[in-house]
Amino acid sequence: MIFGLKFDKNYKLSNLKRDMKNKKIALDNRTSVNKLAIIEVFKWIQRNFSTEGKLAVGGWAKLKEATTNRRRKGKKTKYRDKILQDTGALRQNWIMLINKKQASITSGEKYASRHHHGDTAMNLPARPILPTNRQIMPALLKVYRYFVRTIIKR
C-alpha cells in the first residue's frame, strides 16, 4: 500500500501544517499501542508457561526427581507437576507499567530473575521466562505498524 498526500489547488499550506501537527500529536501519544504491545508480551509469557518453556531459547530443564517427589508430598495443586508452576504465583503475578512513551512488564515475584537467568549457588538451571527480542519483535512490529498506518490514513 502506498501512502501519500493528494494536493489540489484548493488545499492550503495551513491545512497541511494542521494535518501534520495533528498526526504528530497522535503519534506521540502511544499509551494505547504500548498497552497492546505489553499484552502481546504477556500472552507470550503465558504461552511459555503453558508449554513449560518450549518457547524459550534452549527450553526449560526438566524438574529434578527430588523436586517432583517433594511436591507430591505437599498440597494438591493443579500446577504441582509443572515446571515453575507449583503455586502458580510466578505465572500469574506480572506488573505492567504503561505510559505514552514506553511500556514495561516485570514479575511481581522476587525469585523470578533467579529462575530466568539461573542461580548456580542455589543449583537452579536457567529457565527463560521472558522472550528474547528476536522472539517478540515480529508481534510488536505488527502492533506498532498497524498503529502508525491507522494514524497516517486519518
Side-chain angles (χ1 to χ4, degrees):
M1 176 173 274
I2 299 173
F3 296 105
L5 294 172
K6 183 179 177 184
F7 293 99
D8 63 31
K9 61 183 177 183
N10 297 324
Y11 194 81
K12 296 179 182 170
L13 184 59
S14 60
N15 292 345
L16 175 63
K17 288 180 181 178
R18 183 198 66 231
D19 291 348
M20 296 303 286
K21 182 180 177 184
N22 290 339
K23 289 181 189 319
K24 182 185 180 320
I25 290 168
L27 287 168
D28 283 344
N29 186 5
R30 295 182 299 274
T31 303
S32 61
V33 72
N34 287 344
K35 182 176 182 179
L36 294 173
I38 282 300
I39 289 170
E40 286 298 316
V41 176
F42 180 75
K43 289 185 330 190
W44 190 97
I45 292 167
Q46 294 306 307
R47 284 193 310 272
N48 196 31
F49 272 101
S50 293
T51 63
E52 293 187 78
K54 287 185 174 54
L55 299 181
V57 174
W60 289 354
K62 300 262 185 233
L63 289 175
K64 294 177 184 154
E65 189 176 341
T67 303
T68 306
N69 291 339
R70 186 180 68 247
R71 284 185 183 178
R72 288 187 177 151
K73 289 178 185 173
K75 294 180 183 176
K76 304 268 190 232
T77 68
K78 76 179 195 177
Y79 299 119
R80 181 178 69 191
D81 292 330
K82 294 190 176 267
I83 303 169
L84 294 184
Q85 300 177 65
D86 56 329
T87 66
L90 186 57
R91 180 179 184 162
Q92 297 167 8
N93 191 1
W94 291 91
I95 300 164
M96 298 176 207
L97 302 172
I98 304 159
N99 62 40
K100 70 180 187 176
K101 301 253 184 222
Q102 63 186 359
S104 65
I105 185 166
T106 186
S107 175
E109 299 300 324
K110 295 175 187 175
Y111 55 88
S113 181
R114 272 188 254 133
H115 285 294
H116 180 78
H117 298 290
D119 187 334
T120 53
M122 295 185 71
N123 200 21
L124 288 174
R127 292 183 173 118
I129 299 166
L130 300 171
T132 63
N133 285 343
R134 188 176 196 170
Q135 290 172 312
I136 199 63
M137 204 49 72
L140 297 182
L141 286 174
K142 187 176 178 181
V143 169
Y144 284 103
R145 282 182 180 140
Y146 180 79
F147 172 73
V148 171
R149 281 187 197 127
T150 302
I151 289 172
I152 290 174
K153 285 182 180 180
R154 288 184 194 166

